[in-house]
Amino acid sequence: MATLRSFTRPTATWNPATEPRDTIRYVDVSAVSRETLAIESVGATLAKDAPSRARKIVQAGDTIFATIRPALKRVAKVPPDLNGEIVSTAFCVLRPDRERLDSDYLFFLASSDGFVASVAEHETGASYPAVRDRDVLDQEIELPPLDEQRDISTALNALRRGALNELALLNTAQELKQAAMRELFTRGLRGEAQKETEIGLVPESWKPRTIVELCEIWSGGTPRKSVAEYWNGGIPWVSGKDLKLPALDDAIDHISAEGVEAASRLAPQGTVLLLVRGMGLAKDLPVAVINRPMAFNQDVKALVSRGEYSGQFLRSAIYAGKERLLSQIVPSAHGTMTLNLNDVENFKVACPTDPDEATEIVAILDALDRKIDLHRRKRAVLEELFQSLLHKLMTGELRVADLDLSALGSTPSLMNPGAAEPKGDFLAHTEGAAP
């Protein structure tokens, strides 16, 4: 065992006074994606306008580890096009001694859940938790021989490419759905001429309708936490943290029938649930249709269809106009970001006069949602398998020699999404690595 510091090389800082530059490409913490663990969207900045934190010089192959809120895992490997550029002092720059430490292995080690958790134990500061560079560099590690490090990196890179491929396909499917919604709710399916309305362009025969015309609006509540019997049931109880998907089959929390009777309300299947309080600076609209009866808290409104349109259609119609609804968010008396009931009631959505057209729109969007869900589930499986394999290989619980690496070359990549799926033998040899 030795410290990570023992396997890394010294790095340098940039002094604008002694090393003048015209422009720099500056990497701030926000430029590292937590989804891809990669540096994204870094443009050129005039050196004279660089922030005071722009001080650390990086080289291609370095790993940067964010020391602010380390548990959020903003870790990335520096690509060749950022060689010699500048990153924030909020990163610990890890430069491998390449005679003893493979650069890819270093990246995987630094991004592993165990390493991140161990570093996070050194956090100080309640409102701005952070660690020092030495808290990262003084982590004790045990390294396999360099050739084995490279073999481990080859295996992990192959699996990571598969997960990144699914993420790219997921993002593409979500973008396709957004484009489809814009077309469906401005042009419809009947090839009609469009007309201008107070909510924008809609097909000639469509009408803008208010939520209160189309739905009953119910309020929910929270049973007392001190009464255990309220919280030992099987009825899903929805709060803001559940409203991340267009449709809900379950919720994180559950209450009993007594809990519903005491403080909440049971919304029927097909109800639209809309978060109206505690939205923060929402960039997306937390709204979902429920696929089974569910209770909900006081931060959520239940929009129960009066029967003219399905909950699936109403949810899509509301989401299609989300920018208008998000613009209505205001701070409440307590400072939380809120949608006022009056604004929800009077919010208008585009509605076809032909009920069959609404049904057909739901079918189209449902097919896209199934595609999105497929990629989401495949990505989750690959991510779970990756994390498990990462842990087992890093700890020596599993050796690369135990894997059939003959299939690694056929793993799909972001550059070749149509490539063949990995052979069954590769996943078979990792059986037990993930459920």
Side-chain angles (χ1 to χ4, degrees), residues 208-219 265 267-274 287-289 296 301-319 325 341-351:
R209 307 276 296 279
T210 63
I211 294 295
V212 76
E213 277 185 82
L214 303 168
C215 305
E216 295 179 29
I217 302 177
W218 295 1
S219 298
R265 195 166 183 178
Q269 177 179 341
T271 295
V272 176
L273 298 183
L274 171 67
V287 58
V289 63
F296 52 101
K301 293 295 183 185
L303 313 180
V304 185
S305 173
R306 298 185 187 275
E308 193 171 350
Y309 299 98
S310 70
Q312 289 83 356
F313 176 82
L314 291 171
R315 188 269 169 192
S316 297
I318 292 168
Y319 193 83
L325 192 53
L341 177 59
N342 184 63
D343 291 327
V344 174
E345 289 177 337
N346 293 303
F347 182 72
K348 290 186 176 182
V349 296
C351 296

Side-chain angles (χ1 to χ4, degrees), residues 107-143:
F107 164 71
F108 288 125
L109 173 67
S111 61
S112 66
D113 290 344
F115 186 91
V116 171
S118 183
V119 170
E121 290 177 359
H122 297 274
E123 278 185 2
T124 57
S127 59
Y128 201 62
V131 297
R132 299 159 297 186
D133 282 10
R134 70 180 187 221
D135 295 322
V136 181
L137 290 163
D138 288 345
Q139 290 295 310
E140 290 196 338
I141 62 172
E142 187 169 1
L143 289 182

Side-chain angles (χ1 to χ4, degrees), residues 163-184:
L164 290 174
N165 181 66
E166 284 303 324
L167 176 60
L169 293 173
L170 172 62
N171 290 337
T172 298
Q174 289 173 328
E175 290 168 5
L176 176 60
K177 183 184 175 183
Q178 292 298 318
M181 290 184 76
R182 285 193 296 270
E183 285 292 301
L184 290 170

Side-chain angles (χ1 to χ4, degrees), residues 65-295:
F65 185 105
T67 53
I68 295 173
R69 294 184 173 86
L72 293 181
K73 194 190 285 190
R74 292 191 186 272
V75 184
K77 185 180 174 185
V78 177
D81 65 304
L82 290 177
N83 186 60
E85 294 295 348
I86 310 299
V87 303
S88 169
T89 54
F91 289 111
C92 175
V93 178
L94 302 173
R95 181 164 299 153
D97 177 349
R98 301 204 180 208
E99 294 183 359
R100 297 190 295 162
L101 179 56
D102 177 68
S103 60
D104 279 350
Y105 187 92
L106 172 60
F107 164 71
F108 288 125
L109 173 67
S111 61
S112 66
D113 290 344
F115 186 91
V116 171
S118 183
V119 170
E121 290 177 359
H122 297 274
E123 278 185 2
T124 57
S127 59
Y128 201 62
V131 297
R132 299 159 297 186
D133 282 10
R134 70 180 187 221
D135 295 322
V136 181
L137 290 163
D138 288 345
Q139 290 295 310
E140 290 196 338
I141 62 172
E142 187 169 1
L143 289 182
L146 191 58
D147 286 347
E148 188 172 351
Q149 292 177 39
R150 289 169 179 155
D151 288 342
I152 289 172
S153 296
T154 298
L156 292 173
N157 270 318
L159 197 53
R160 183 168 182 257
R161 282 195 300 271
L164 290 174
N165 181 66
E166 284 303 324
L167 176 60
L169 293 173
L170 172 62
N171 290 337
T172 298
Q174 289 173 328
E175 290 168 5
L176 176 60
K177 183 184 175 183
Q178 292 298 318
M181 290 184 76
R182 285 193 296 270
E183 285 292 301
L184 290 170
F185 284 93
T186 58
R187 296 184 180 276
L189 292 172
R190 303 291 187 255
E192 298 179 56
Q194 293 172 289
K195 65 182 179 183
E196 189 66 56
T197 70
E198 65 267 43
I199 65 171
L201 289 171
V202 300
E204 186 67 39
S205 67
W206 288 38
K207 295 180 180 179
R209 307 276 296 279
T210 63
I211 294 295
V212 76
E213 277 185 82
L214 303 168
C215 305
E216 295 179 29
I217 302 177
W218 295 1
S219 298
T222 301
R224 281 187 294 166
K225 299 283 187 178
S226 59
V227 182
E229 66 181 31
Y230 290 164
W231 296 92
N232 63 4
I235 299 171
W237 180 77
V238 177
S239 61
K241 61 179 178 279
D242 296 297
L243 296 173
K244 297 177 181 178
L245 297 173
L248 297 182
D249 295 308
D250 205 348
I252 295 172
D253 300 305
H254 297 79
I255 60 177
S256 63
E258 292 79 7
V260 174
E261 186 176 353
S264 191
R265 195 166 183 178
L266 194 62
Q269 177 179 341
T271 295
V272 176
L273 298 183
L274 171 67
L275 185 68
V276 296
R277 185 166 55 191
M279 303 177 74
L281 299 175
K283 294 181 180 179
D284 203 4
L285 186 65
V287 58
V289 63
I290 55 176
N291 292 332
R292 57 187 281 202
M294 298 187 187

Side-chain angles (χ1 to χ4, degrees), residues 304-383:
V304 185
S305 173
R306 298 185 187 275
E308 193 171 350
Y309 299 98
S310 70
Q312 289 83 356
F313 176 82
L314 291 171
R315 188 269 169 192
S316 297
I318 292 168
Y319 193 83
K322 68 174 183 176
E323 300 303 330
R324 289 184 292 111
L325 192 53
L326 288 172
S327 70
Q328 302 295 319
I329 296 175
V330 295
S332 69
H334 301 289
T336 56
M337 302 306 288
T338 302
L339 279 170
N340 292 322
L341 177 59
N342 184 63
D343 291 327
V344 174
E345 289 177 337
N346 293 303
F347 182 72
K348 290 186 176 182
V349 296
C351 296
T353 52
D354 179 0
D356 289 339
E357 189 171 8
T359 301
E360 292 168 26
I361 287 173
V362 168
I364 292 169
L365 295 176
D366 184 59
L368 290 170
D369 280 334
R370 288 197 302 272
K371 184 70 171 175
I372 290 169
D373 185 60
L374 173 64
H375 289 305
R376 184 179 284 117
R377 288 186 286 111
K378 288 176 69 176
R379 181 195 172 209
V381 168
L382 286 169
E383 286 286 354

